[in-house]
Amino acid sequence: MQFAQIPMQWVGPLLLRGDIEDRVEAPMATYETPLWPSVNRGARVTEKAGGIRITLIDARMSRSITLQAVNAHEAHQAAQAILEQQDRLQAVVSQSSRFARLIEIHPKIIGNLLILRLEFTTGDASGHNMVTHAADQLIPWLLQHHPQLRYVSISGNFCTDKKVSAVNALHGRGKNVVAETWLPEKLVRRYLKTTPEKLVELHIKKNLLGSIAAGSLMSANAHAANMLLAFYLATGQDAANIVEGSQCIDHAEVHDNGDLYFSTTLPNLIVGTVGNGKGLDFVQENLARMGCTDPDALPGENARRLAGICAATVLCGELSLLAAQTNPGELMAAHLKLERKGS
Amino acid sequence: MQFAQIPMQWVGPLLLRGDIEDRVEAPMATYETPLWPSVNRGARVTEKAGGIRITLIDARMSRSITLQAVNAHEAHQAAQAILEQQDRLQAVVSQSSRFARLIEIHPKIIGNLLILRLEFTTGDASGHNMVTHAADQLIPWLLQHHPQLRYVSISGNFCTDKKVSAVNALHGRGKNVVAETWLPEKLVRRYLKTTPEKLVELHIKKNLLGSIAAGSLMSANAHAANMLLAFYLATGQDAANIVEGSQCIDHAEVHDNGDLYFSTTLPNLIVGTVGNGKGLDFVQENLARMGCTDPDALPGENARRLAGICAATVLCGELSLLAAQTNPGELMAAHLKLERKGS
Amino acid sequence: MQFAQIPMQWVGPLLLRGDIEDRVEAPMATYETPLWPSVNRGARVTEKAGGIRITLIDARMSRSITLQAVNAHEAHQAAQAILEQQDRLQAVVSQSSRFARLIEIHPKIIGNLLILRLEFTTGDASGHNMVTHAADQLIPWLLQHHPQLRYVSISGNFCTDKKVSAVNALHGRGKNVVAETWLPEKLVRRYLKTTPEKLVELHIKKNLLGSIAAGSLMSANAHAANMLLAFYLATGQDAANIVEGSQCIDHAEVHDNGDLYFSTTLPNLIVGTVGNGKGLDFVQENLARMGCTDPDALPGENARRLAGICAATVLCGELSLLAAQTNPGELMAAHLKLERKGS
Amino acid sequence: MQFAQIPMQWVGPLLLRGDIEDRVEAPMATYETPLWPSVNRGARVTEKAGGIRITLIDARMSRSITLQAVNAHEAHQAAQAILEQQDRLQAVVSQSSRFARLIEIHPKIIGNLLILRLEFTTGDASGHNMVTHAADQLIPWLLQHHPQLRYVSISGNFCTDKKVSAVNALHGRGKNVVAETWLPEKLVRRYLKTTPEKLVELHIKKNLLGSIAAGSLMSANAHAANMLLAFYLATGQDAANIVEGSQCIDHAEVHDNGDLYFSTTLPNLIVGTVGNGKGLDFVQENLARMGCTDPDALPGENARRLAGICAATVLCGELSLLAAQTNPGELMAAHLKLERKGS
């Protein structure tokens, strides 16, 4: 077996509070090696300031299947009936999976098409295969019990996996996590070489107005995709999920006392601690070092911990790059150093 | 130095026509190992049918800078003047880069803010650092020659790097490449186990209608991000660029003679053969094996070749997954095999 | 009082089936007078073919309020508690409105912000004022019972009223209606001067691919806004709601028997038969002539009927324009006639 | 002829500076009668503060046509050739229109499809018919000179007319206008009953963050569609163009001296002073009273003046509603008054 060898380093320690209370390091695998010192700077300033507060809002994984009726009326009637049958659908799912639990169904009707978005909790797995498998089981059952429906697709792009969308943030896909920090002005000046006011102004003009001007969708951040990619690769995740994962929203403001409030909200953070990609030795080691392979943890607890660490890593990178961009001189110097080595 | 070891295999051969005429294999590094046989199936059927036609539409890299005036009038006047000064800006850029050539400037005015999207050709580099460096050089020049402007940000999210947007596809970022193939019904049946009609119907209901229903943006594909990620990792690309790279559009129809026409249009394919990440041994070997390190090639030619191979790889994966999803039984079986090994 | 006098005509009759079984005319007020014959053509061909089937999927009206906590954890806990208090919120709403019924609450957390999307049924009113009034009543109650929250806005743009969004189609705002028709090829040729195949091809390349290429969002139609505007003005609706109303999706295909299936799905159709704008004499007359002022109808029934007629009107206009655009000669002639009169 | 009678009032005076220097009133026709006092409040405070500065950035009207080649290569070659033929295309257009001038062509290739976005200046007309007529003339010429292309549609939804999109703001459609004002804190308190800080905070959390959370696209405002609709109806515009017109962006900040800077940027303001709808008596009177029917004006000057007045009207309405929403008590009282009269 051949391998692509992606340079990997540990960043942190990250001081975590809230839904996770710990001091942990995080691995990042990336060709963009300047990411490491950048995230480290964010880790350092947040640690000095009392840490990063993690709040886990939600966790689910989805698969949508597309069916077709002769008309919208039949599609709608089937949808209403299926919503009433959630328990029976769960029974079908349970036959093949110990962990998949169907928690919500969102039907969408387009003409005579019925798209069913099936949403599951999936324990510690990110759940791609689990929900596909569940959908596989459910389709024959649905077609049998609703003969007015015919099969169109096991994946109707209303899931939606690894594609830009609005549906994921609104109905939820993966972990929905918020990372927040409160930084005294003094620490902002010392470690980030900027001020709360300058950072907030840049956030508004770049992350909010700039993203709107660019025609972004449910996305307002500086470079979340960079941190997500590196963290996903280092922890055996399906890194193509950074497409939706990076649709995340920073929010910053200066408090009355002059402190900086900074947060990153990641509604589509698809990570797991078991399943595809997790069997590799270095992945197991990385997960273990972060405390995400606790055999005594409740189902889903290891994955939630991993999501929290990931969100904190993103926040650190966001803070650090935004700080740098408030200050043209700093970036020029950093880039000059890069240029000598690279492109 | 530690490394994340991502399993890597070669797929193909891909038979290429049009702007690239060759028969090449492509490397893919991924934890989603079922991708390899899936892409191979697409490679086989397109090879039998005469290959994949590659058309390179455009190539550029962008960086946007945000400046501010006292009002929109001053911002607009500065923008008009700067558009007239493109040659002088190019002269500034030339002092620090042999390759960066400023080809277009798109100003955007939001109130008193002036966002300048600077677009460059960057030779064989993907050009992230080259355009940032160029912007670094240009900012002092712009502030000096347009004193009514003040600095806001070296990156205004109107570039936009590694973030969902509309601006990239409309103004161009990276290579804009089309991959197309024409498949006789007989080959579709034999290799893809489906029919042209079924595949086109699924494409319409999933990639087009399903994506629209999900609130996708400038994106209509099945799983382009998967192939992009694997190809990017294997060739030393900045794989966070799959966020915009995966905003790509499939188009399929059944010809009067019953053949399947299938294409993938990738307007934001950010790849290079030199620069960050390209210095690693396995990357050099991979690029060389694909013929993308030709020292006698004209500037940009190696990178364009790489983009063409990448687009063909995406097309193969799209074809294969769509074919599988027309056929529920096939997917179920494939997933069962996966489940035994994984999640 | 002065008035803008918008030319108005009746189109139809529209033959309706499904959730409305009737034969009715519809009023359209517009400066774009070619709309009338265009919609009439669609009405004629659908009548000959057995009519337009109307399916009402959902009805609700929303208002979002933005609150803020000290951190995401407090915001999340408040959201969870409020979801449990839906009955108590309904009791507050009931004190001031006979009709508003709170049917669903969607909380959204961005950092320390809590946006609550409150969704109500509103009887026969479109419900703008009813839900604003309900929100007015609820805010003091929420602030009193959740003292960790402070007021930010009575409208957080997550409602969202008269603005492009994804949230409306996914969570529902206004009536969600599908209009469908099945047209034999012979009728398509005779009345629409085209073929099912040509119309479907145009729909795919224009409404689906063209909209995706343009960066549309949850929208795939030819000119739904035209019909909506004219119908809204003629029936006293708040016509600025065509912004979200026109985010609607056509779906067309050729059946095995050669018939054309054509549908329009309007998930954000905000119309009412009582409330602002409905008191004007001509509006009352128009509503009465359509049978939408039945005093014996159940609450909401008149408004649902109105929504169905509106959806049928949109479908007729869509069919007719698409047919015309399959045929360049026809449009040129029609435009020449226009040109003689206008611009 | 029947008419829908939409209540109409004059608001203002609006004190205009910059590209228009005048003091004018503006007509608004709407069923939402509270709009009039709301806009009047914005007019009053901006007048006291020295007025509203208008900057006209651009003006153009577009039509896209869709053509098809056998493959992307042929489509691309045709596109390149057509870009070189702009003068010859202009000669064709000139034969049938005195005013239409082709200023830019944006080709878009999706597989084997070639979408040509043709952009024109159109004098004082909004230009819908003018550009359609020009496209009608150009299609036969294009098909004759590029026989590898076949006709698909005279309108490819890449124009895009009356539909949500990203393309309009990025390539331009209609007038691109900025309206700005600078309000001393004292006037904000006296007339708007709020503070600059509160208004800016609300703008950020509602217009920016709220819109992003809702999945808006290139849109960040409170209720621009309301003012656009009323102004469009009163001036004979094609009011369905509020769909794209309302995709506009507010920007607000508190200056160091405590003043409020507030602006609205409208990149898709489609208005004209001649053409469809302008022949009605009340429309002529309204246009004349605003000074937009000057026979001695240069082509396009009357329409640009109209666009400026329209933008100022939008700004006034935005300011006033945002101010009201910073202050829950005020809205409740206003709504109670409404409720007594309405829904």
Side-chain angles (χ1 to χ4, degrees), chain A residues 193-208:
Chain A
K193 313 294 180 199
T194 188
T195 65
E197 287 75 13
K198 285 170 77 173
L199 198 143
V200 168
E201 184 194 350
L202 177 67
H203 161 69
I204 293 168
K205 293 182 181 172
K206 170 195 173 76
N207 287 346
L208 301 184

PDB file of all heavy atoms in Angstrom, chain A residues 193-208:
ATOM      1  N   LYS A 193      -1.103  41.305  18.562  1.00  0.00           N
ATOM      2  CA  LYS A 193      -0.531  42.521  17.968  1.00  0.00           C
ATOM      3  C   LYS A 193      -1.606  43.367  17.290  1.00  0.00           C
ATOM      4  O   LYS A 193      -1.402  43.919  16.206  1.00  0.00           O
ATOM      5  CB  LYS A 193       0.551  42.173  16.932  1.00  0.00           C
ATOM      6  CG  LYS A 193       1.583  41.148  17.368  1.00  0.00           C
ATOM      7  CD  LYS A 193       2.449  41.665  18.496  1.00  0.00           C
ATOM      8  CE  LYS A 193       3.473  40.588  18.908  1.00  0.00           C
ATOM      9  NZ  LYS A 193       4.000  40.871  20.253  1.00  0.00           N
ATOM     10  N   THR A 194      -2.770  43.396  17.909  1.00  0.00           N
ATOM     11  CA  THR A 194      -3.833  44.230  17.356  1.00  0.00           C
ATOM     12  C   THR A 194      -4.714  44.668  18.524  1.00  0.00           C
ATOM     13  O   THR A 194      -4.358  44.474  19.679  1.00  0.00           O
ATOM     14  CB  THR A 194      -4.626  43.468  16.276  1.00  0.00           C
ATOM     15  OG1 THR A 194      -5.525  44.376  15.641  1.00  0.00           O
ATOM     16  CG2 THR A 194      -5.411  42.294  16.842  1.00  0.00           C
ATOM     17  N   THR A 195      -5.847  45.283  18.220  1.00  0.00           N
ATOM     18  CA  THR A 195      -6.782  45.677  19.271  1.00  0.00           C
ATOM     19  C   THR A 195      -8.126  45.015  19.023  1.00  0.00           C
ATOM     20  O   THR A 195      -8.444  44.645  17.889  1.00  0.00           O
ATOM     21  CB  THR A 195      -7.011  47.206  19.279  1.00  0.00           C
ATOM     22  OG1 THR A 195      -7.650  47.571  18.050  1.00  0.00           O
ATOM     23  CG2 THR A 195      -5.707  47.965  19.421  1.00  0.00           C
ATOM     24  N   PRO A 196      -8.933  44.863  20.071  1.00  0.00           N
ATOM     25  CA  PRO A 196     -10.277  44.318  19.860  1.00  0.00           C
ATOM     26  C   PRO A 196     -11.038  45.102  18.793  1.00  0.00           C
ATOM     27  O   PRO A 196     -11.703  44.501  17.943  1.00  0.00           O
ATOM     28  CB  PRO A 196     -10.915  44.464  21.253  1.00  0.00           C
ATOM     29  CG  PRO A 196      -9.765  44.340  22.205  1.00  0.00           C
ATOM     30  CD  PRO A 196      -8.626  45.044  21.515  1.00  0.00           C
ATOM     31  N   GLU A 197     -10.937  46.418  18.818  1.00  0.00           N
ATOM     32  CA  GLU A 197     -11.692  47.233  17.860  1.00  0.00           C
ATOM     33  C   GLU A 197     -11.266  46.931  16.431  1.00  0.00           C
ATOM     34  O   GLU A 197     -12.103  46.831  15.530  1.00  0.00           O
ATOM     35  CB  GLU A 197     -11.481  48.736  18.143  1.00  0.00           C
ATOM     36  CG  GLU A 197     -12.194  49.260  19.374  1.00  0.00           C
ATOM     37  CD  GLU A 197     -11.515  48.841  20.680  1.00  0.00           C
ATOM     38  OE1 GLU A 197     -10.357  48.362  20.628  1.00  0.00           O
ATOM     39  OE2 GLU A 197     -12.152  48.958  21.751  1.00  0.00           O
ATOM     40  N   LYS A 198      -9.968  46.833  16.202  1.00  0.00           N
ATOM     41  CA  LYS A 198      -9.496  46.587  14.838  1.00  0.00           C
ATOM     42  C   LYS A 198      -9.917  45.193  14.368  1.00  0.00           C
ATOM     43  O   LYS A 198     -10.289  45.005  13.208  1.00  0.00           O
ATOM     44  CB  LYS A 198      -7.960  46.725  14.773  1.00  0.00           C
ATOM     45  CG  LYS A 198      -7.491  48.184  14.826  1.00  0.00           C
ATOM     46  CD  LYS A 198      -5.988  48.301  15.013  1.00  0.00           C
ATOM     47  CE  LYS A 198      -5.227  48.012  13.717  1.00  0.00           C
ATOM     48  NZ  LYS A 198      -3.773  48.305  13.895  1.00  0.00           N
ATOM     49  N   LEU A 199      -9.843  44.245  15.264  1.00  0.00           N
ATOM     50  CA  LEU A 199     -10.217  42.882  14.860  1.00  0.00           C
ATOM     51  C   LEU A 199     -11.714  42.799  14.542  1.00  0.00           C
ATOM     52  O   LEU A 199     -12.122  42.184  13.549  1.00  0.00           O
ATOM     53  CB  LEU A 199      -9.809  41.891  15.943  1.00  0.00           C
ATOM     54  CG  LEU A 199      -9.750  40.450  15.450  1.00  0.00           C
ATOM     55  CD1 LEU A 199      -8.595  39.695  16.086  1.00  0.00           C
ATOM     56  CD2 LEU A 199     -11.044  39.717  15.673  1.00  0.00           C
ATOM     57  N   VAL A 200     -12.519  43.444  15.354  1.00  0.00           N
ATOM     58  CA  VAL A 200     -13.961  43.411  15.093  1.00  0.00           C
ATOM     59  C   VAL A 200     -14.290  44.147  13.790  1.00  0.00           C
ATOM     60  O   VAL A 200     -15.106  43.691  12.992  1.00  0.00           O
ATOM     61  CB  VAL A 200     -14.740  44.016  16.287  1.00  0.00           C
ATOM     62  CG1 VAL A 200     -16.198  44.255  15.921  1.00  0.00           C
ATOM     63  CG2 VAL A 200     -14.644  43.081  17.487  1.00  0.00           C
ATOM     64  N   GLU A 201     -13.631  45.278  13.576  1.00  0.00           N
ATOM     65  CA  GLU A 201     -13.893  46.015  12.336  1.00  0.00           C
ATOM     66  C   GLU A 201     -13.552  45.151  11.115  1.00  0.00           C
ATOM     67  O   GLU A 201     -14.303  45.093  10.145  1.00  0.00           O
ATOM     68  CB  GLU A 201     -13.061  47.305  12.300  1.00  0.00           C
ATOM     69  CG  GLU A 201     -13.379  48.142  11.067  1.00  0.00           C
ATOM     70  CD  GLU A 201     -12.365  49.245  10.809  1.00  0.00           C
ATOM     71  OE1 GLU A 201     -11.501  49.522  11.674  1.00  0.00           O
ATOM     72  OE2 GLU A 201     -12.424  49.825   9.694  1.00  0.00           O
ATOM     73  N   LEU A 202     -12.400  44.481  11.193  1.00  0.00           N
ATOM     74  CA  LEU A 202     -12.021  43.624  10.071  1.00  0.00           C
ATOM     75  C   LEU A 202     -13.030  42.488   9.891  1.00  0.00           C
ATOM     76  O   LEU A 202     -13.433  42.174   8.756  1.00  0.00           O
ATOM     77  CB  LEU A 202     -10.625  43.039  10.301  1.00  0.00           C
ATOM     78  CG  LEU A 202     -10.179  42.076   9.198  1.00  0.00           C
ATOM     79  CD1 LEU A 202      -9.979  42.815   7.891  1.00  0.00           C
ATOM     80  CD2 LEU A 202      -8.907  41.353   9.592  1.00  0.00           C
ATOM     81  N   HIS A 203     -13.421  41.874  10.997  1.00  0.00           N
ATOM     82  CA  HIS A 203     -14.411  40.795  10.927  1.00  0.00           C
ATOM     83  C   HIS A 203     -15.670  41.269  10.196  1.00  0.00           C
ATOM     84  O   HIS A 203     -16.202  40.570   9.331  1.00  0.00           O
ATOM     85  CB  HIS A 203     -14.753  40.319  12.343  1.00  0.00           C
ATOM     86  CG  HIS A 203     -16.035  39.578  12.442  1.00  0.00           C
ATOM     87  ND1 HIS A 203     -16.217  38.321  11.907  1.00  0.00           N
ATOM     88  CD2 HIS A 203     -17.245  39.930  12.972  1.00  0.00           C
ATOM     89  CE1 HIS A 203     -17.459  37.927  12.128  1.00  0.00           C
ATOM     90  NE2 HIS A 203     -18.101  38.878  12.759  1.00  0.00           N
ATOM     91  N   ILE A 204     -16.133  42.455  10.546  1.00  0.00           N
ATOM     92  CA  ILE A 204     -17.371  42.953   9.923  1.00  0.00           C
ATOM     93  C   ILE A 204     -17.156  43.211   8.439  1.00  0.00           C
ATOM     94  O   ILE A 204     -17.978  42.820   7.604  1.00  0.00           O
ATOM     95  CB  ILE A 204     -17.846  44.236  10.646  1.00  0.00           C
ATOM     96  CG1 ILE A 204     -18.291  43.890  12.067  1.00  0.00           C
ATOM     97  CG2 ILE A 204     -18.967  44.919   9.866  1.00  0.00           C
ATOM     98  CD1 ILE A 204     -18.496  45.101  12.955  1.00  0.00           C
ATOM     99  N   LYS A 205     -16.052  43.844   8.098  1.00  0.00           N
ATOM    100  CA  LYS A 205     -15.863  44.259   6.697  1.00  0.00           C
ATOM    101  C   LYS A 205     -15.402  43.119   5.801  1.00  0.00           C
ATOM    102  O   LYS A 205     -15.621  43.153   4.595  1.00  0.00           O
ATOM    103  CB  LYS A 205     -14.899  45.445   6.650  1.00  0.00           C
ATOM    104  CG  LYS A 205     -15.531  46.680   7.306  1.00  0.00           C
ATOM    105  CD  LYS A 205     -14.665  47.911   7.275  1.00  0.00           C
ATOM    106  CE  LYS A 205     -15.422  49.048   7.990  1.00  0.00           C
ATOM    107  NZ  LYS A 205     -14.572  50.252   8.187  1.00  0.00           N
ATOM    108  N   LYS A 206     -14.745  42.146   6.375  1.00  0.00           N
ATOM    109  CA  LYS A 206     -14.251  41.003   5.602  1.00  0.00           C
ATOM    110  C   LYS A 206     -15.212  39.812   5.722  1.00  0.00           C
ATOM    111  O   LYS A 206     -15.811  39.378   4.740  1.00  0.00           O
ATOM    112  CB  LYS A 206     -12.869  40.618   6.109  1.00  0.00           C
ATOM    113  CG  LYS A 206     -12.307  39.311   5.571  1.00  0.00           C
ATOM    114  CD  LYS A 206     -11.114  38.869   6.416  1.00  0.00           C
ATOM    115  CE  LYS A 206     -10.619  37.487   6.013  1.00  0.00           C
ATOM    116  NZ  LYS A 206      -9.842  37.459   4.775  1.00  0.00           N
ATOM    117  N   ASN A 207     -15.362  39.302   6.937  1.00  0.00           N
ATOM    118  CA  ASN A 207     -16.140  38.060   7.098  1.00  0.00           C
ATOM    119  C   ASN A 207     -17.621  38.262   6.802  1.00  0.00           C
ATOM    120  O   ASN A 207     -18.270  37.364   6.259  1.00  0.00           O
ATOM    121  CB  ASN A 207     -15.996  37.521   8.527  1.00  0.00           C
ATOM    122  CG  ASN A 207     -14.636  36.911   8.795  1.00  0.00           C
ATOM    123  OD1 ASN A 207     -13.878  36.655   7.871  1.00  0.00           O
ATOM    124  ND2 ASN A 207     -14.319  36.702  10.058  1.00  0.00           N
ATOM    125  N   LEU A 208     -18.160  39.412   7.219  1.00  0.00           N
ATOM    126  CA  LEU A 208     -19.590  39.616   7.011  1.00  0.00           C
ATOM    127  C   LEU A 208     -19.819  40.302   5.657  1.00  0.00           C
ATOM    128  O   LEU A 208     -20.333  39.682   4.720  1.00  0.00           O
ATOM    129  CB  LEU A 208     -20.191  40.428   8.169  1.00  0.00           C
ATOM    130  CG  LEU A 208     -20.029  39.805   9.575  1.00  0.00           C
ATOM    131  CD1 LEU A 208     -20.735  40.648  10.628  1.00  0.00           C
ATOM    132  CD2 LEU A 208     -20.552  38.371   9.627  1.00  0.00           C
TER     133      LEU A 208
END
